[in-house]
Amino acid sequence: MHALLDAGLAEAKAEGIALEAHLQTCATCRSEWNALLKADRALWEGRSIQPRNQILPSFRERVAQQPLPSHNTPWASAAALSLCAALMLVTLLLLPFHRAVPWSAKRPKQTRTAMELQQIAPTIETKRLAGLLSQQALSHHRATTAVPFANGRHARRNSTSVQMATKEAPLRSPLYARTPKVATAIAMRAASAPNPLAHDGALLPKKTQLPKRLNTSGQPTEPLEERRSLIIGTVSTDVQEENIAMAAPSNRGQADAASNGVLSAASPDIASATQGKGADWLTAQAPVRLHVVDPHRGFSSTLEMLPLANGCPPSIVFEENALSSAQEVLR
Amino acid sequence: MSQEKTASCADNDPASSSEEQMLITRVLQGDRSAFDVLFLRYQNYVYRIVYGMVGSAEEADDLTQEVFVQAFRALPRFRGQSRFSTWLYRIAVNKATDAMRATGRRRLLSLKNWAISQKSAEFPTQQEVDHQQALQDAVQRALMHCPVPFRQVLVLRYYNECSMEEIAETLACSVEAVKVRLHRARETFRKAYEAVCKEDERELE
């Protein structure tokens, strides 16, 4: 029985059949097996445990107090310290003879470190953003994330893509997560922290309102603040059945239509995108590439999901093609 | 519950391992932010290990951070001979075991200790949530009645879905030893779980 549980019922078919035959004739073993199976099933529930709180911020604080790890031995560290002390001494001695240069003149403008960039959504590994920031035209945003599916191979949960606006880039920061809870948690964390996508210079007026095309609720929103994010809505992605079938509505009304509709097979691995014709969906063995077109918010994006391969979590790529600049959005 | 063999670790494929190696190299070169990626990738796995063993959410939060801080400090000593996940799990198991021995007490959980499960994120009914929480509570209470070595193996196997080989590597023992320990642990847990369930039934009556 234990060997069968170790191997998994699906992978030990022969043993399973033999056990089943025996259990039909032996009440003691049947009772034993049922109790064992009940405990075994209960234990699997532990897979859904998650931390209650976001522990990354406090972890960052703790790790910031740690010296950087290196291969150096204590002797090498001591030598490095001595060298630093000597250099500082020499610098202090030579400083009075050096021409004074204002510190601000030396500081490069609009620099953002990789660490800052990752703060916006730590589960999303941002790519290419560093270079784009300096151009102030974030026309192409590509983010990769890997969210494990708790139930193994089959994606069958609702997913949510949270669209966030920032003063500096109203169409930026699409966050994708497997569950609305996770997406919201990421979004809330990003919203409560300084927005690392913010530029040094004020790109937009201080009292910037959310552009009308982004505000589908019709209600007035709070002004976008500098270095803060505002969640402007979500795009629900309904993932049903195994091997991924998803509906990607482009607005809330279409989301309802999609949830009521029957998902049917479409092209197996090619993206399907229709605009203004109700829900867009596809069924595929995977990889799945999904184009989401949102006429209300004025962007199109591509969601690419690669399924579990060799037991590793799927990777999800969210690629957004937005307008060429934040200024254009406001026109 | 599915008995199928499911994904056990986040870094089973070579591409992921090489990416992790790259991240480790970046950390060692002074880029602390690269460690955030590793933290986010493994925080739930580590949390499940320590939570399953100590049974307290507050303590698990703290221990999870300690595990990663220790891993951060010890990163230069990680030679890549084992998978990063296994190395990290070993630290987590040791930390949680030390914490258990230091406090030397058993804790019983309240329902509030449980994080809202991923199932509840799918907007289940209140009845389903209650059932799920009661089940998880009973499991954890039963787990707390198991000896620490049994808890180690059960948590790695069930909570983190580790394979026998991964458990053996984490606990520094043979696969056969893991199997024997797992069988005994399962038996112990079964008895404890039955007792807990009966206790709950009596309370309901």
Side-chain angles (χ1 to χ4, degrees):
Chain A
M1 289 181 195
H2 284 283
L4 198 60
L5 291 176
D6 288 348
L9 294 177
E11 296 192 3
K13 280 182 185 167
E15 292 86 345
I17 292 166
L19 177 69
E20 200 175 332
H22 175 68
L23 291 179
Q24 283 178 352
T25 58
C26 180
T28 314
C29 288
R30 194 161 57 237
S31 163
E32 172 90 0
W33 172 247
N34 285 339
L36 206 54
L37 208 56
K38 187 183 169 191
D40 186 75
R41 285 174 177 168
L43 273 166
W44 284 115
E45 291 298 321
R47 289 181 297 182
S48 58
I49 297 171
Q50 288 179 337
R52 292 179 311 166
N53 308 313
Q54 297 299 336
I55 50 179
L56 180 63
S58 47
F59 167 71
R60 278 197 181 126
E61 282 174 20
R62 284 168 81 157
V63 93
Q65 293 163 4
Q66 300 292 324
L68 274 169
S70 71
H71 291 293
N72 291 347
T73 61
W75 287 111
S77 301
L81 274 174
S82 309
L83 187 64
C84 282
L87 280 172
M88 280 178 69
L89 192 64
V90 170
T91 310
L92 284 171
L93 287 171
L94 292 177
L95 201 57
F97 304 104
H98 196 271
R99 187 171 59 90
V101 178
W103 180 247
S104 57
K106 290 180 178 177
R107 194 170 57 180
K109 287 178 183 174
Q110 291 185 3
T111 52
R112 285 284 177 267
T113 65
M115 187 191 295
E116 284 175 309
L117 285 173
Q118 287 184 5
Q119 281 171 356
I120 189 162
T123 55
I124 293 181
E125 194 177 327
T126 49
K127 291 181 178 177
R128 299 176 56 192
L129 274 177
L132 290 169
L133 277 173
S134 58
Q135 301 167 17
Q136 291 195 354
L138 308 177
S139 60
H140 202 70
H141 177 191
R142 185 183 176 87
T144 310
T145 183
V147 183
F149 286 129
N151 282 349
R153 301 173 197 288
H154 307 318
R156 52 188 175 198
R157 293 170 188 271
N158 292 331
S159 302
T160 300
S161 165
V162 177
Q163 300 296 329
M164 294 174 61
T166 65
K167 175 173 177 286
E168 296 78 9
L171 283 183
R172 296 300 102 192
S173 317
L175 300 173
Y176 177 80
R178 183 168 56 83
T179 65
K181 182 191 162 208
V182 173
T184 311
I186 296 170
M188 293 305 289
R189 186 167 52 201
S192 62
N195 172 22
L197 287 177
H199 294 284
D200 284 338
L203 185 63
L204 303 173
K206 282 198 172 178
K207 287 283 179 186
T208 303
Q209 291 287 338
L210 192 67
K212 278 183 184 175
R213 70 170 78 182
L214 300 180
N215 185 5
T216 52
S217 68
Q219 300 295 320
T221 61
E222 291 177 12
L224 291 166
E225 292 176 27
E226 223 169 324
R227 296 176 66 81
R228 296 283 167 188
S229 309
L230 179 68
I231 302 166
I232 58 174
T234 58
V235 177
S236 294
T237 307
D238 195 9
V239 185
Q240 296 184 353
E241 304 298 332
E242 58 187 57
N243 291 327
I244 307 173
M246 53 175 58
S250 53
N251 63 27
R252 186 63 206 166
Q254 290 173 359
D256 295 338
S259 61
N260 295 329
V262 177
L263 299 182
S264 59
S267 177
D269 56 356
I270 305 296
S272 147
T274 52
Q275 188 173 337
K277 294 180 183 176
D280 310 329
W281 65 73
L282 68 137
T283 306
Q285 295 298 314
V288 170
R289 183 173 292 133
L290 184 70
H291 292 304
V292 181
V293 180
D294 190 334
H296 294 277
R297 297 186 187 130
F299 76 95
S300 70
S301 56
T302 304
L303 177 69
E304 186 175 31
M305 184 184 288
L306 303 174
L308 281 174
N310 302 323
C312 68
S315 76
I316 298 162
V317 177
F318 198 109
E319 191 169 322
E320 184 191 12
N321 306 297
L323 299 176
S324 60
S325 76
Q327 293 283 17
E328 193 177 335
V329 176
L330 294 176
R331 273 186 216 135
Chain B
M1 182 60 61
S2 154
Q3 294 296 312
E4 68 189 356
K5 194 176 180 184
T6 49
S8 55
C9 289
D11 68 342
N12 273 349
D13 73 321
S16 179
S17 296
S18 63
E19 188 202 342
E20 277 171 3
Q21 197 53 54
M22 212 166 64
L23 289 166
I24 290 165
T25 308
R26 273 173 55 193
V27 176
L28 292 174
Q29 286 170 350
D31 180 5
R32 286 171 194 263
S33 66
F35 200 74
D36 287 356
V37 182
L38 293 169
F39 180 90
L40 288 162
R41 183 173 293 176
Y42 287 107
Q43 64 167 340
N44 284 356
Y45 292 96
V46 168
Y47 183 85
R48 280 197 285 265
I49 291 174
V50 294
Y51 184 80
M53 288 184 67
V54 302
S56 152
E58 287 80 11
E59 203 169 342
D61 277 355
D62 196 46
L63 276 174
T64 302
Q65 293 179 44
E66 279 184 27
V67 167
F68 279 100
V69 168
Q70 188 172 328
F72 181 80
R73 281 203 302 249
L75 213 51
R77 294 199 294 276
F78 175 66
R79 302 289 179 206
Q81 288 162 345
S82 62
R83 275 197 293 267
F84 178 75
S85 59
T86 316
W87 182 72
L88 194 63
Y89 295 169
R90 198 178 303 149
I91 296 173
V93 167
N94 290 339
K95 265 272 185 247
T97 307
D98 289 347
M100 286 300 300
R101 285 177 182 152
T103 52
R105 59 193 155 90
R106 287 179 174 172
R107 301 170 191 82
L108 292 182
L109 295 175
S110 70
L111 289 176
K112 287 178 184 173
N113 262 348
W114 285 92
I116 299 169
S117 70
Q118 291 185 351
K119 266 194 169 178
S120 62
E122 286 182 293
F123 308 117
T125 62
Q126 187 57 44
Q127 197 180 4
E128 286 171 337
V129 172
D130 292 345
H131 173 75
Q132 178 78 6
Q133 285 185 335
L135 178 63
Q136 289 178 335
D137 180 55
V139 170
Q140 191 61 32
R141 276 157 57 209
L143 206 54
M144 299 310 286
H145 283 92
C146 298
V148 172
F150 288 176
R151 239 179 280 173
Q152 290 174 344
V153 76
L154 286 172
V155 163
L156 286 168
R157 176 64 178 162
Y158 287 95
Y159 284 23
N160 267 13
E161 302 173 64
C162 288
S163 68
M164 296 293 173
E165 290 75 18
E166 285 163 339
I167 299 171
E169 210 176 328
T170 304
L171 300 178
C173 59
S174 69
V175 172
E176 285 310 310
V178 168
K179 283 183 181 173
V180 170
R181 200 196 288 189
L182 186 60
H183 295 181
R184 289 176 183 163
R186 220 182 253 136
E187 280 297 335
T188 309
F189 174 81
R190 178 176 69 86
K191 286 171 189 163
Y193 185 62
E194 278 173 359
V196 164
C197 288
K198 277 179 189 164
E199 195 179 304
D200 287 351
E201 280 168 20
R202 271 200 299 275
E203 275 181 19
L204 282 175
E205 286 166 7

